[in-house]
Amino acid sequence: MVELLFCKLLLNCDISVKAEIGQGLTIYHPYGIFVNSDAKIGRDFTCRAYTTIGNKGTYDERDGCPTIGDGVNVGVGAKIIGPITVGSNCSIGANAVVTHSFADGNILVGIPAKAI
């Protein structure tokens, strides 16, 4: 519990204990990271500072959180928002805004994110 308080106060890092996160989570520079309690994240997930994984901020019951596959790598400032699925072994570029589902093995960049 002390570790969670430390993360929230000092680093502004808010990863819900209710989020489903697989083994092998790696966080580089854990500043400003937010992971919603309903997010589902696979094994060997890597993220960096100012990453957001959550819903769209409305109270609509259809407004869910992302499901992220295994081996996903997320760049600085990326946002993964809404009831979408990001396939395994995807790479998400810095500051990308992912609002649609993508299959395994894609590289996602841009606002809104597109596969390249």
Side-chain angles (χ1 to χ4, degrees):
M1 193 64 168
V2 173
E3 294 85 2
L4 292 175
L5 185 59
F6 173 78
C7 284
K8 285 183 181 181
L9 293 177
L10 186 62
L11 303 175
N12 194 24
C13 180
D14 189 1
I15 300 174
S16 175
V17 295
K18 294 180 183 178
E20 294 179 32
I21 302 174
Q23 293 180 335
L25 170 67
T26 302
I27 300 174
Y28 294 107
H29 309 292
Y31 305 102
I33 294 173
F34 174 77
V35 177
N36 190 290
S37 62
D38 295 329
K40 294 175 181 65
I41 300 171
R43 298 171 56 96
D44 300 321
F45 178 76
T46 302
C47 73
R48 291 164 180 81
Y50 305 105
T51 298
T52 299
I53 301 170
N55 60 22
K56 294 181 181 178
T58 65
Y59 294 101
D60 187 338
E61 60 190 40
R62 295 169 293 170
D63 185 24
C65 287
T67 299
I68 299 173
D70 298 335
V72 174
N73 190 340
V74 179
V76 174
K79 311 298 181 238
I80 307 168
I81 300 174
I84 62 171
T85 300
V86 176
S88 295
N89 302 311
C90 285
S91 291
I92 300 172
N95 293 317
V97 178
V98 183
T99 57
H100 299 286
S101 293
F102 290 92
D104 295 350
N106 281 300
I107 299 172
L108 312 175
V109 295
I111 303 172
K114 294 178 173 60
I116 58 169

